Each structure stands twice: as structure tokens, then as C-alpha cells.
Amino acid sequence: MTLWYLLCLLVILQSCAARLPTNCKPSSYKISLVVPETSLTSTGNTFTGNVDITFQLMQKTSSLQLHSSHDRLTIKTLQLKHIATDTIIPQTSSVDETDVLTITTTQELEVGNYNLQISYDGRLSTTDMNGVYKSSYVDSTGTKKYLVATQFEATHARKGFPCFDEPSYKATFTVDITVPKGFLAMSNTEVISQNAPSLSTVRYQFQPTPVMSTYLVAFVVSDFTCTEVPGSSTKNHVCSRSETVNTRYWAVEVTPKLLNSLNVYTGIPYTESISKLDQVALPDFRSGAMENWGLITYREARLLFDPEEDGTSVKQTIALVIAHELSHSWFGNLVTLAWWSETFLNEGFARYFQNKITHEIYPEWQLDKQFVVKTVHSALAEDDLPSALALQSDVETPAQIDTKFGNSYDKGGSVLRMVEHFMGSANFKRGIQQYLSTNKNKNTKPANLWTALSVAVDNTVSMLPATLPNVMQNWIEKAGFPLITVTKTNKNTLALKQERFLFSGSDTTTKWYVPVTYTTSVDTAKFEKTSPHLWIEPDKEATIQVPDGASWIILNNQQTGFYRVNYDDALWAEIEKALKTDSFGGIAELSRAQIVDDLFNLAKPKKVSYSKALNIINFISNDISYYTWYAARRGFSFLLDKIGFESDLGKAIKADVLKLMDKVYKSVPYTDLKPTDDLYTLKQTEVIGLACRLQHPECIEMSKSLPAKDLRNIVYCNALRHSKDSTDWDYLWNAYVKSNSLSEASNLLQVLGCSTDKNILNKYLQKTITDSEIRLQDRATVFSSVLNGNPSSLDIALTFLIEHQQEIETQYATMSALTKLMDIEKYGDKPG
Ligand SMILES: [Zn+2]
């Protein structure tokens, strides 16, 4: 028994599925499905299917392999036919526990075109919201309604129909679905015909899809209604359960604007591939949303906006999530990753373009700046452990594939932003158009991206020290990112050194090509310049000549480079002096946010002492920038979580931070609401949220009146945190159970974890495994609400996780949702 085999047994058997052989190339699928009436009631969980796959065999073989879920599908008949001779080929077949369907023929198959027909029975999942699953909701009359939906990314299409379930096996899919009369069936493409096979059923026949990967196939069977989106060249609808009709308007408003921007930027109209776009809000959905081509599915809170309950951040989030999914139509659907080891080619692009495109339409939200504190800073924080994964790393099994989604979004988006800035925006856009047009309907690896972008590189702007693929290699193939240390070697000369930045441990071998920009006190307009002044090359010295009269220098303008910066004592002293003068010595707000984030993180591995870091950060007492305070809130929260809010040191830090907050707090008084000023409202929510967490006395006052919707969560959470009366929690729980508003219900779930009563929190967590009143999709939210509600709740959450691992695996949609919430390594290591 080999070590590998032993490992396979030790891990989950399913995790050891290998890749399919490359001898077959499917070109088209015809899929016929029947969802019986019983499966849209409480009684049945089945469907039946028939799939007809045309494929080309490119090498002689007597064994074919594709995917079919051993657990969800039962094959009834299987017929293999040689198309040219119309000969049916005798075969035997079996499905193993890794979901590989092997068809063995007695005689060797010749190279040529074949047809494979499989009829099967399918089982709808009611627990994990992947593959084909059944969901339900209670309508306004109190009647329970059922629906069937799909989630096939990354490896779940095999649970809906036997298929070559890997992204590079692109084909067309022609789907028909027979459903009980009164139900609506939707799939990726337009309905071409509708007929009635019987008095009680309707058969929907859909147009063939464009050439695409299996994970993008989707269908929904429901009693939903749809709102047509005007002003779009695409047949465009927003659909949901009928009682939520009034919450569709925001999605209806933003979708055509976003789609139009993407059409213009990419130079490839959406309608070139597919003629319709349905966006559907599902009452139970595993992730935030899924980009199925032509049929994007969302959890309700990510598509529907309730103006009575939802605040500014929800409105922005919905626009950003829609923009993310629409971006995938090009980055993912039209041009698709070759394999899941390069998930960032889908998700990094979608993360970057969701911000870029939404920023074009709503510049007043300053999403270009929000990207720095929300995406770049998060990506850096996720990427500083020895265990971090490179953007491109080998994966094989479904479990490994799931892990690739982690940093592909934020690090992928941040690295692409760096490329745009060192290339220049116009060149980057030309390169991206080249990438899309050259690779449309194909699969790509990072090399294809660099080849296309290389054509658009203007070296007078980017000054590349090597070829673009060489420059990008370690950003993609290595985990982590550089720390640049700046040291003054004589009056005007600074030496720059790089090393991998790690929260713990060390790595002296990984080096990068690092684009460096900088600004000095004598030319503060340079903060705008993001094309490189110079590059640091691996294992080479780099220096900067500072102009005469410069009293400070700051590297990494607008933090477009994906790295941190440290300075020697004298340079930090100069920066500190500037920050503590009027107008921060001209240092721009994003650079101030960067300095705050870098200092907090440099203190963790003792690259800078906490006392020095906090002394410099004190400048924020005069700073009322949203971005500076966003970074500061993060840094102080991490510190207080580590040392304990109620420890002596924690209490002292809380008092200090409240003092530092005085000016920014007064700039956004809770009595002064500006509902039409979204950025003001975001800042107000951020600042008052921190103040309440630090027990600002005014928070108690706020809870005595009905707070504004943006502040409601903060105020209720704070009230519950200090409540001595358990009936307060019961009151809010009952409000959750009775709520007809999905936004209100979702807000209440987040607030309920704010209690500090151990028994109540245990009761709340127990409800996630015993109580059907908490939707499957929301169980991880309950857990995070307890985990983040109070620092003292960490032990309760951890104990629950350890004691109920089995139940969580079956009752929560996904364990990975939980483990992502908990950065165990960081919690386990106290800073010095
Ligand atoms: Zn995505």
C-alpha cells in the first residue's frame, strides 16, 4: 500500500478523484430533465434525466471516463454509439466513490465521433445547496412553497447530469425541463418552445447555450415572478418570489448601466454570446451569488434592496455583487480558467472589475479608494502566513479546489490592479481587449494573459526590467508579498531592500520584481503618479536619490504596489513629524491609511515596536478621513481582540482610542443623518460602530430612540451587549421569527450574537443544528455573529465548533464557510 493510497484513505475518499484522461473532447450535450410534482411538495426529492453527449475520441482506447455522482445519480441505461457507422458498442460501466464513471468496451474503440446516451434517476439535495437542490419559503399567506435550483461550481455539475466535469471540456448544452403546471422553468438561454406533454405538466425547451464549461449550466424551477429591466439591449429580468417585487428596483436600475460599461470596456458585447440575462434571488443560496451564463443566481440579500431596512453599505454591496457576476460573463464564462489551480483568472478579474466598473458609474462612492482599505489591505492580511497559498498552485480534488477560492479574489484583484498601474490604464485596457478577443470560447493559463498584455506594454511608461511573464512569475507562483525596507545611506541616497513579509516564520528565498513609486515633500502632486519610478529586481540593490530639501519620502503611491514598506528610524521620524503638522504635511489620505495599516502589521512580527507604531499612529487624532479610520479600526480591533477588551491594558487602549476618535466622532454625529450622502453615511457607520464597540457613553443614548437604518445594527448590538435582561434577547429572537422582511431578519441574526450571556449564546448556536427556523444559508451567519459579537465569545464559538463537528457538517451548508471565518493561526499566536 503506497503512502499516497494511505493518505487517500485518511482524507475523505472523495477528495482523491484524479483528473479525467484527455482522450475525449465533448462538443454538445442534450439534457432532458423531469421534475415531478412530488418534488415540489414536502414529500419527494427526486428528478429524472436523460443526457445525450456527442464527443470526439482522439486516441484508441477500451476505457472511457467521465463524471457522474455516485451519491446523487443512479444510472438506468447507458448506450454508446459510433456516429459514422451508427453502430451500438457493447460495454459495461461502473461509477466509483470518486464520482468517476468508467465505461469499458470489449473491443478497442477507434478514433472518431461517438454518442453517449444515459438515462438516470437523480436525487435533490435538501442539505448542502449544491448540485440540484430543493429549497422552500413561506409566502405571505403562510403557505410553504418549494423550488428546485442548481449550484454547479466548482465540481457539482456531475450531480445534475453525467458529464466531463472539468472547465476545459467546453461544449454546448441544449436543455429541456418538464415541470408541473403552474411552475416556471428557467435555464441559461431563452425558451424556444413550451408545450404540455400531459394535462398536468409543461415542457420548457431552451435554446442551445454558447460553448461553455459544465460548471456554468444552471436551471431554476419555481413559482417566481420577474420584472423586466428596461434600457438594456439584452432580454433582461430580475426574478424572485412575488412578495419581494418591490425590492427589485435597485437591481433593475444598476444592471443595464453596469452591463453597458462592461460592453464598452471589453469591446465585446454581452449579446455576442447569449441573448438574455435573468438574475434570480433564491431564498437559500450557498454563496453570495453565482455567475451561471444567462441565469445568475443570488442569495436574496445580494440582489434585493429593501429601502425601509437596508442602508448605504447594502446598496453598494448589491451593486458590487451584480457587477462582479456580470464581469464573469467575460472573465470566466467567455474566457475560462484552464483548471482550478488558476482560479484567480476568474475571481481576481471579477473582484477587480466589479470595483472598476461600479466606480465608473458611481464615482461619488470612491470605490477606487475603498478598494485599497477593503481589498488590498485584506489581501495583505490574508497573505502573510507561512501557510498562505500562491495565486497559482496545484489542486486536484474537490476539497483542494474549494481552497483555491480563498485568496483568488482579493489578492488576485490587488495584483491585477498593480499591473494596470505599472502598465498605464489605456495600455492595460488594450491588453485586456486583446486577451478576451484572442481567447474567447477558450480556456487560459496565466501565460495567455501575459502574452496578450505584453502586446500592449509601453516600456516608456512601465520600464519593465524583464519580460512581463518574468516580472509576474513570482507574484503568481509564490505565496506572500514583499516588505520593502528603506534606509538612508547618505544625505540624498536611500537603499531599498526586499524580503518576504511574514506574520510569523521567515522565508529568505522568495524575491519579486517590485514596481516602486514614491512621493517626497517637495512634490506632493506625485501621489497621483502610479507608473513606476524604478523597479527592485530580485537579488539586486536598488537606490533612490532624494531631491534636495525633501523632508520626507513615502513609497507606494496610492498603494498600487502589492507590498508593505518599512523605513529606518530617521525616515519614520520625518514622516511622523509631517503627519503631525497642519494638513499632514501634504501626505495624501490613501498614503495615511497605508501608513496606519503597515505600522499595525509591522508591529505584529516586531519589525517596528508597538510603542513606536502607536506613537506615529497618534496623528489620526486630527484625521477625519474615512480611509485612515477604516485602517485604524482594523488595527485597533485586532490588537484589542488579542489582548482582551477587558484586560487592564485593553481598558487603557480603549480609553486612548476613544480620545483619538474625538474629532472624527464629532464629524459624523448620530443626530446628523445625510441619507443622500453615501460616503458620509459609510463613515458615520464605521466610526459610530467603533465608538460603540469601545463603549462610548452616547451609544446608550442612541438606543433609546429608533436609530437610523444604517446605525440600527450597531445600536441594537450595543444594547444587547449591555443588557442584563434575557427577555431582551427573546424579544429580538421573536422579531426574527416573525419578520416578513428578509433584510430585517438578516440584520437581526447578526445582532443576536452580540449578547454576552454564555447560556444565551449557547442556546443561539444550538438553534443552528436543531432549529429549522434558521435557514440553511444563514447558519454560518449565526456562528460568525457569535464569534464577532464580543471578544469573550471566542471560547464559546470554538467549543461549539469542536463539540458539534459532526452536526455542523450535516446541518451547515459548508464547513469551509466556518473555517474561513476563523483564522485559527492568527488567533493562536499572541503578539509580543
Ligand atoms: Zn466570482
Side-chain angles (χ1 to χ4, degrees):
M1 203 179 281
T2 64
L3 181 62
W4 173 241
Y5 184 68
L6 269 172
L7 278 171
C8 283
L9 287 178
L10 284 172
V11 188
I12 310 163
L13 200 55
Q14 188 182 352
S15 304
C16 296
R19 301 284 301 274
L20 293 178
T22 53
N23 56 355
C24 284
K25 193 177 180 313
S27 57
S28 67
Y29 292 72
K30 275 188 196 154
I31 304 166
S32 281
L33 301 166
V34 178
V35 179
E37 188 157 19
T38 49
S39 292
L40 291 154
T41 67
S42 62
T43 52
N45 292 323
T46 60
F47 65 102
T48 56
N50 220 303
V51 64
D52 184 330
I53 311 171
T54 300
F55 67 91
Q56 184 189 2
L57 181 66
M58 291 172 297
Q59 285 161 4
K60 284 183 175 186
T61 183
S62 53
S63 170
L64 301 172
Q65 291 190 315
L66 62 157
H67 290 109
S68 181
S69 166
H70 75 284
D71 178 38
R72 301 270 191 92
L73 304 186
T74 307
I75 293 175
K76 292 191 294 190
T77 64
L78 188 151
Q79 180 187 284
L80 178 65
K81 194 166 79 175
H82 187 254
I83 292 176
T85 59
D86 211 21
T87 318
I88 292 174
I89 297 150
Q91 46 71 33
T92 55
S93 67
S94 65
V95 179
D96 67 20
E97 291 206 341
T98 67
D99 293 342
V100 172
L101 162 61
T102 303
I103 301 167
T104 310
T105 55
T106 43
Q107 287 189 333
E108 197 165 53
L109 296 171
E110 296 295 324
V111 167
N113 292 318
Y114 291 83
N115 175 268
L116 178 63
Q117 277 190 40
I118 303 173
S119 68
Y120 57 95
D121 288 329
R123 184 172 64 76
L124 303 171
S125 169
T126 53
T127 52
D128 63 9
M129 297 185 288
N130 65 37
V132 189
Y133 69 96
K134 181 171 151 178
S135 171
S136 64
Y137 68 92
V138 178
D139 74 6
S140 52
T141 67
T143 310
K144 196 165 189 178
K145 298 287 188 69
Y146 292 86
L147 62 131
V148 170
T150 56
Q151 169 57 37
F152 287 166
E153 193 184 28
T155 55
H156 307 299
R158 64 195 68 170
K159 296 173 181 170
F161 57 101
C163 57
F164 295 86
D165 198 11
E166 293 185 5
S168 61
Y169 290 109
K170 286 192 173 188
T172 60
F173 300 83
T174 307
V175 177
D176 71 76
I177 308 177
T178 303
V179 302
K181 211 170 172 181
F183 281 88
L184 170 72
M186 285 181 276
S187 188
N188 302 81
T189 51
E190 282 187 68
V191 175
I192 42 174
S193 73
Q194 222 176 304
N195 55 45
S198 74
L199 280 176
S200 59
T201 58
V202 184
R203 180 172 175 271
Y204 290 83
Q205 172 73 55
F206 299 93
Q207 281 180 348
T209 68
V211 172
M212 65 184 203
S213 307
T214 47
Y215 76 89
L216 292 168
V217 175
F219 60 89
V220 174
V221 179
S222 69
D223 66 345
F224 288 176
T225 58
C226 298
T227 300
E228 193 173 339
V229 178
S232 173
S233 55
T234 315
K235 286 171 188 158
N236 194 327
H237 296 93
V238 173
C239 310
S240 61
R241 54 196 168 89
S242 61
E243 50 257 57
T244 61
V245 59
N246 293 330
T247 59
R248 293 176 196 154
Y249 77 96
W250 177 234
V252 167
E253 185 181 325
V254 298
T255 298
K257 294 177 186 171
L258 294 167
L259 200 55
N260 187 48
S261 268
L262 282 159
N263 282 334
V264 171
Y265 189 96
T266 60
I268 302 175
Y270 176 90
T271 46
E272 189 179 295
S273 306
I274 199 160
S275 61
K276 71 99 168 161
L277 167 64
D278 290 325
Q279 298 182 91
V280 186
L282 296 168
D284 262 323
F285 197 66
R286 189 179 167 87
S287 58
M290 175 62 209
E291 67 265 23
N292 317 296
W293 215 351
L295 181 66
I296 306 177
T297 43
Y298 296 80
R299 66 168 54 198
E300 289 186 339
R302 292 289 177 270
L303 185 68
L304 305 177
F305 180 71
D306 180 350
E308 298 297 315
E309 288 290 332
D310 292 329
T312 305
S313 65
V314 176
K315 191 175 169 189
Q316 287 191 10
T317 300
I318 289 173
L320 285 166
V321 175
I322 293 174
H324 180 102
E325 303 312 324
L326 293 177
S327 300
H328 273 309
S329 301
W330 290 264
F331 303 102
N333 304 2
L334 183 67
V335 177
T336 312
L337 44 72
W339 179 241
W340 301 106
S341 22
E342 292 100 25
T343 303
F344 85 96
L345 285 176
N346 282 13
E347 299 305 345
F349 269 117
R351 172 67 88 241
Y352 189 46
F353 274 81
Q354 72 181 86
N355 283 273
K356 193 173 170 60
I357 295 300
T358 314
H359 178 60
E360 255 181 48
I361 298 162
Y362 300 102
E364 66 276 19
W365 290 349
Q366 300 186 351
L367 287 165
D368 52 344
K369 291 184 176 177
Q370 288 198 46
F371 191 87
V372 173
V373 293
K374 296 185 178 172
T375 305
V376 178
H377 289 184
S378 296
L380 291 167
E382 279 174 19
D383 203 26
D384 65 5
L385 290 169
S387 56
L389 285 178
L391 282 176
Q392 184 180 33
S393 61
D394 289 342
V395 288
E396 285 238 323
T397 67
Q400 289 168 344
I401 290 167
D402 279 350
T403 64
K404 279 310 289 175
F405 283 79
N407 73 350
S408 294
Y409 296 81
D410 287 350
K411 184 176 179 184
S414 301
V415 168
L416 289 168
R417 173 173 177 263
M418 176 168 72
V419 176
E420 168 163 20
H421 282 274
F422 73 64
M423 282 186 69
S425 290
N427 298 330
F428 182 74
K429 182 174 173 179
R430 267 195 310 125
I432 291 299
Q433 291 188 345
Q434 173 83 17
Y435 170 67
L436 292 171
S437 60
T438 313
N439 297 295
K440 63 181 174 185
N441 302 319
K442 296 182 190 158
N443 296 82
T444 54
K445 289 177 173 292
N448 302 98
L449 176 62
W450 311 134
T451 302
L453 288 178
S454 292
V455 175
V457 164
D458 173 354
N459 240 353
T460 58
V461 177
S462 40
M463 303 197 307
L464 290 182
T467 64
L468 187 62
N470 277 346
V471 165
M472 294 313 298
Q473 187 174 5
N474 281 5
W475 293 103
I476 304 302
E477 293 177 13
K478 301 284 184 185
F481 57 86
L483 166 68
I484 306 303
T485 304
V486 190
T487 313
K488 198 176 231 178
T489 53
N490 67 42
K491 186 170 168 283
N492 288 82
T493 309
L494 305 178
L496 309 182
K497 285 210 172 94
Q498 66 160 307
E499 64 186 292
R500 180 173 171 193
F501 179 80
L502 282 164
F503 176 68
S504 60
S506 74
D507 167 7
T508 54
T509 57
T510 311
K511 299 276 164 70
W512 291 262
Y513 284 97
V514 186
V516 176
T517 54
Y518 61 87
T519 300
T520 68
S521 60
V522 295
D523 185 8
T524 50
K526 271 198 197 159
F527 281 118
E528 298 304 312
K529 177 177 157 59
T530 55
S531 55
H533 290 86
L534 72 151
W535 287 80
I536 305 176
E537 299 183 47
D539 302 315
K540 278 196 188 171
E541 297 279 312
T543 57
I544 294 175
Q545 293 301 315
V546 185
D548 284 333
S551 59
W552 51 258
I553 182 167
I554 290 169
L555 267 66
N556 206 1
N557 295 341
Q558 298 176 40
Q559 208 164 3
T560 55
F562 189 67
Y563 54 87
R564 296 197 187 283
V565 187
N566 194 8
Y567 303 88
D568 68 19
D569 288 344
L571 293 168
W572 270 126
E574 289 172 2
I575 293 169
E576 180 178 4
K577 196 172 161 196
L579 287 169
K580 292 180 178 172
T581 58
D582 284 350
S583 308
F584 315 100
I587 297 171
E589 65 178 343
L590 274 185
S591 294
R592 303 198 305 268
Q594 173 195 344
I595 287 167
V596 169
D597 188 60
D598 276 352
L599 280 169
F600 269 117
N601 283 284
L602 289 166
K604 291 179 196 170
K606 300 179 190 164
K607 296 278 180 194
V608 168
S609 70
Y610 263 107
S611 64
K612 178 174 161 182
L614 293 173
N615 269 337
I616 300 172
I617 288 168
N618 272 349
F619 81 85
I620 60 174
S621 62
N622 277 319
D623 201 334
I624 58 165
S625 157
Y626 171 56
Y627 306 103
T628 315
W629 273 96
Y630 195 95
R633 190 265 303 153
R634 223 187 213 160
F636 283 124
S637 299
F638 179 88
L639 192 58
L640 284 164
D641 279 341
K642 288 281 203 176
I643 58 180
F645 274 63
E646 298 310 319
S647 66
D648 288 346
L649 184 57
K651 283 180 188 161
I653 290 177
K654 275 195 295 188
D656 277 351
V657 180
L658 280 172
K659 258 188 244 158
L660 289 175
M661 289 187 76
D662 194 47
K663 202 164 180 176
V664 73
Y665 184 78
K666 284 181 177 146
S667 74
V668 284
Y670 80 94
T671 48
D672 187 9
L673 302 175
K674 297 182 182 172
T676 55
D677 186 340
D678 288 343
L679 209 59
Y680 173 90
T681 308
L682 279 187
K683 180 171 129 188
Q684 187 177 47
T685 314
E686 185 69 29
V687 169
I688 292 179
L690 177 60
C692 285
R693 194 92 203 271
L694 301 174
Q695 294 157 326
H696 194 291
E698 250 182 20
C699 270
I700 307 295
E701 284 305 305
M702 279 183 236
S703 58
K704 289 178 185 161
S705 57
L706 179 68
K709 60 192 178 190
D710 286 285
L711 303 176
R712 216 167 280 166
N713 268 15
I714 297 166
V715 173
Y716 285 166
C717 176
N718 190 59
L720 207 53
R721 196 173 276 150
H722 297 105
S723 164
K724 301 268 180 277
D725 182 352
S726 67
T727 59
D728 288 342
W729 193 91
D730 294 337
Y731 174 82
L732 289 174
W733 170 256
N734 287 330
Y736 162 74
V737 173
K738 285 187 195 138
S739 176
N740 289 322
S741 156
L742 61 106
S743 306
E744 183 191 46
S746 153
N747 286 342
L748 285 167
L749 275 188
Q750 286 170 42
V751 165
L752 284 162
C754 295
S755 169
T756 45
D757 184 317
K758 201 174 170 181
N759 292 332
I760 284 179
L761 291 176
N762 273 323
K763 182 170 83 176
Y764 190 34
L765 286 169
Q766 285 291 338
K767 282 178 184 290
T768 62
I769 49 177
T770 55
D771 200 324
S772 60
E773 277 161 332
I774 298 173
R775 300 197 75 88
L776 207 53
Q777 66 166 17
D778 293 329
R779 289 175 184 174
T781 307
V782 172
F783 186 84
S784 76
S785 126
V786 172
L787 183 67
N788 299 319
N790 295 290
S792 58
S793 307
L794 175 64
D795 284 346
I796 299 168
L798 270 177
T799 307
F800 176 78
L801 187 65
I802 292 162
E803 287 180 357
H804 298 282
Q805 206 172 335
Q806 294 277 314
E807 292 109 307
I808 290 169
E809 268 181 48
T810 54
Q811 298 290 321
Y812 280 49
T814 161
M815 271 299 277
S816 64
L818 279 196
T819 43
K820 248 173 100 176
L821 294 169
M822 308 196 55
D823 201 332
I824 304 284
E825 273 186 82
K826 287 195 179 177
Y827 274 111
D829 188 5
K830 299 270 178 203

